[in-house]
């Protein structure tokens, strides 16, 4: 397994190179001049030339890209045009917010989707199965930006129960240790801060996890139905095992490979899909940071963030493959 992991990690290098090249080429072809974002519109031609030289924008595009790659290999993704800060520092400051949101969304999706899929498969064509199918199709088909706006309107506007934006209230005074507000609140024994962090997380996590919940429910149901029709299930029932044991210990365990696959892939999609949700709820994560970078044509910030997204997605695929051998010993990595 170690050799397989090392080979997969080395395989990430050409993927990151191609992605960075594609993004850089697209940004170069996009209309507009990034120098205009750096200085005032009233600046003279000499000031614009000095700004372009200072930021390396006066060099040919291939030279700019090679400089970026050389610096990136040393862990330096450049300095943001808009924020005047190192890109890596900005990403590390915002990344915990996105990961925390994606983790809570995944937790909600798994806690609802898996039991609903298993129970629907255990009683096919029943009322419970119909309810599960409706919930699953609702989650898959509902646009998250529309659902987010509706939840803000109802729970923040009409009912005034949950905050409509942001990650924490002003003046909460919580020391940042890990960057995950819920974990930091627990570590510091700040239960009031934990309650506030969960209130701010509630709507974005529900909106982000709704689609994932529907997909997990449908995949779990289909995989369970397939396994419940196998001969080993009939054998287990013939031995006198209880229905609960047959359902969860035998059928569900063999259905886990499909469930793990879709959960891991959807988690990677959640991180990239959080861009819309973070924009709707003004969540200070890397998704909102990417939107701001695109708006201001912040080349270093955009390329750095896209590489981070790509790395996270590739890492999730690797973790999925490694989890296979833990769930099903018949699978071995070569």
């Amino acid at each position: 397994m170690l050799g397989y992991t090392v080979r997969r990690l080395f395989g990430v290098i050409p993927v990151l190179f191609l992605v960075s090249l594609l993004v850089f080429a697209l940004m170069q072809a996009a209309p507009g001049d990034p120098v205009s974002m750096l200085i005032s519109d009233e600046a003279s031609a000499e000031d614009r030339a000095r700004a372009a030289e200072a930021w390396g924008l006066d060099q040919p595009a291939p030279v700019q890209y090679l400089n970026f790659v050389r610096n990136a290999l040393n862990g330096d993704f450049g300095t943001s045009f808009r924020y005047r800060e190192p890109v890596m520092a900005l990403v590390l400051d915002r990344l915990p917010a996105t990961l925390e949101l994606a983790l809570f969304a995944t937790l909600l999706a798994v806690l609802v989707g898996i039991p609903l899929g298993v129970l629907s498969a255990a009683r096919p064509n029943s009322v419970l199965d119909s309810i599960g199918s409706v919930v699953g199709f609702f989650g898959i088909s509902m646009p998250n930006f529309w659902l987010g706006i509706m939840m803000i309107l109802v729970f923040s506007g009409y009912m005034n129960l949950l905050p409509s934006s942001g990650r924490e209230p002003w003046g909460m005074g919580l020391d940042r240790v890990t960057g995950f507000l819920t974990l930091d609140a627990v570590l510091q024994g700040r239960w009031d801060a934990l309650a506030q962090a969960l209130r701010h997380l509630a709507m974005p996590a529900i909106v982000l996890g709704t689609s994932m919940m529907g997909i997990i429910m449908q995949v779990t149901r289909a995989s369970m139905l397939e396994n419940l029709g196998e001969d080993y299930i009939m054998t287990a029932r013939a031995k006198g095992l209880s229905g609960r044991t047959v359902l969860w210990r035998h059928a569900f365990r063999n259905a886990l490979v499909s469930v793990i696959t879709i959960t891991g892939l959807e988690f990677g999609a959640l991180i990239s899909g959080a861009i819309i949700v973070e924009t709707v709820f003004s969540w200070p994560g890397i998704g909102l940071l990417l939107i701001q970078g695109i708006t201001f044509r912040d080349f270093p910030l955009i390329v750095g963030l896209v590489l981070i997204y790509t790395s996270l997605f590739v890492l999730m695929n690797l973790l999925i493959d490694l989890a296979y051998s833990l769930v099903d010993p018949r699978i071995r990595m070569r």
Side-chain angles (χ1 to χ4, degrees):
M1 183 179 293
L2 179 60
Y4 173 81
T5 304
V6 173
R7 289 195 301 271
R8 285 293 300 269
L9 291 176
F10 274 108
V12 174
I13 297 176
V15 174
L16 295 178
F17 172 75
L18 292 175
V19 169
S20 66
L21 181 60
L22 178 61
V23 173
F24 194 87
L26 290 175
M27 292 305 301
Q28 288 290 333
D33 182 11
V35 178
S36 301
M37 304 294 179
L38 298 172
I39 59 177
S40 172
D41 294 335
E42 301 177 355
S44 64
E46 291 78 8
D47 293 335
R48 296 176 63 86
R50 282 195 295 268
E53 182 180 0
W55 290 89
L57 298 175
D58 60 329
Q59 299 176 348
V63 176
Q64 294 183 39
Y65 177 73
L66 292 177
N67 290 334
F68 171 81
V69 171
R70 184 178 64 254
N71 294 330
L73 292 176
N74 296 321
D76 181 11
F77 290 93
T79 302
S80 168
F81 293 164
R82 172 173 169 78
Y83 296 97
R84 305 295 200 276
E85 295 181 28
V87 170
M88 186 55 67
L90 289 171
V91 171
L92 293 178
D93 182 60
R94 300 286 192 99
L95 184 59
T98 297
L99 291 179
E100 186 175 41
L101 176 59
L103 287 172
F104 271 86
T106 302
L107 180 63
L108 291 174
V110 168
L111 291 179
V112 176
I114 290 181
L116 197 56
V118 172
L119 296 177
S120 297
R123 298 176 176 84
N125 302 319
S126 64
V127 175
L128 179 60
D129 188 21
S130 300
I131 294 175
S133 297
V134 170
V135 173
F137 284 121
F138 172 83
I140 294 173
S141 59
M142 184 61 59
N144 52 15
F145 67 88
W146 183 87
L147 181 60
I149 294 173
M150 291 299 102
M151 291 192 70
I152 290 175
L153 180 64
V154 174
F155 294 102
S156 296
Y158 293 151
M159 304 178 67
N160 197 27
L161 292 177
L162 297 172
S164 61
S165 63
R167 194 182 177 202
E168 59 181 314
W170 182 82
M172 189 166 70
L174 184 66
D175 295 333
R176 301 297 177 90
V177 180
T178 65
F180 295 82
L181 294 187
T182 51
L183 180 58
D184 289 343
V186 172
L187 293 176
Q188 299 174 41
R190 291 283 308 278
W191 309 117
D192 58 328
L194 177 62
Q196 290 293 339
L198 291 175
R199 291 183 71 245
H200 281 77
L201 260 173
M203 286 198 295
I206 292 174
V207 171
L208 187 60
T210 298
S211 176
M212 184 179 186
M213 178 271 297
I215 295 174
I216 289 178
M217 181 270 165
Q218 295 290 345
V219 172
T220 303
R221 179 183 181 276
S223 184
M224 286 293 296
L225 286 174
E226 180 181 354
N227 282 276
L228 286 172
E230 296 291 337
D231 293 339
Y232 74 90
I233 295 296
M234 297 178 61
T235 303
R237 287 171 174 166
K239 289 181 177 180
L241 297 179
S242 65
R244 179 177 299 178
T245 301
V246 171
L247 185 66
W248 291 100
R249 185 175 179 179
H250 294 277
F252 178 65
R253 183 175 181 179
N254 285 279
L256 265 181
V257 172
S258 299
V259 176
I260 290 175
T261 301
I262 196 63
T263 302
L265 293 176
E266 283 299 308
F267 180 78
L270 279 188
I271 296 177
S272 59
I275 295 173
I276 298 176
V277 176
E278 289 181 4
T279 303
V280 171
F281 290 96
S282 297
W283 189 264
I286 60 176
L288 184 61
L289 187 64
L290 179 60
I291 292 296
Q292 295 169 346
I294 294 174
T295 302
F296 289 90
R297 294 201 65 191
D298 195 335
F299 289 167
L301 183 59
I302 295 172
V303 178
L305 284 172
V306 171
L307 290 178
I308 295 297
Y309 276 118
T310 305
S311 301
L312 291 174
F313 200 86
V314 172
L315 178 61
M316 283 307 306
N317 288 335
L318 176 60
L319 293 178
I320 292 170
D321 290 343
L322 296 179
Y324 286 160
S325 62
L326 299 178
V327 174
D328 191 344
R330 296 172 299 177
I331 302 175
R332 290 292 180 265
M333 301 301 169
R334 292 181 174 87

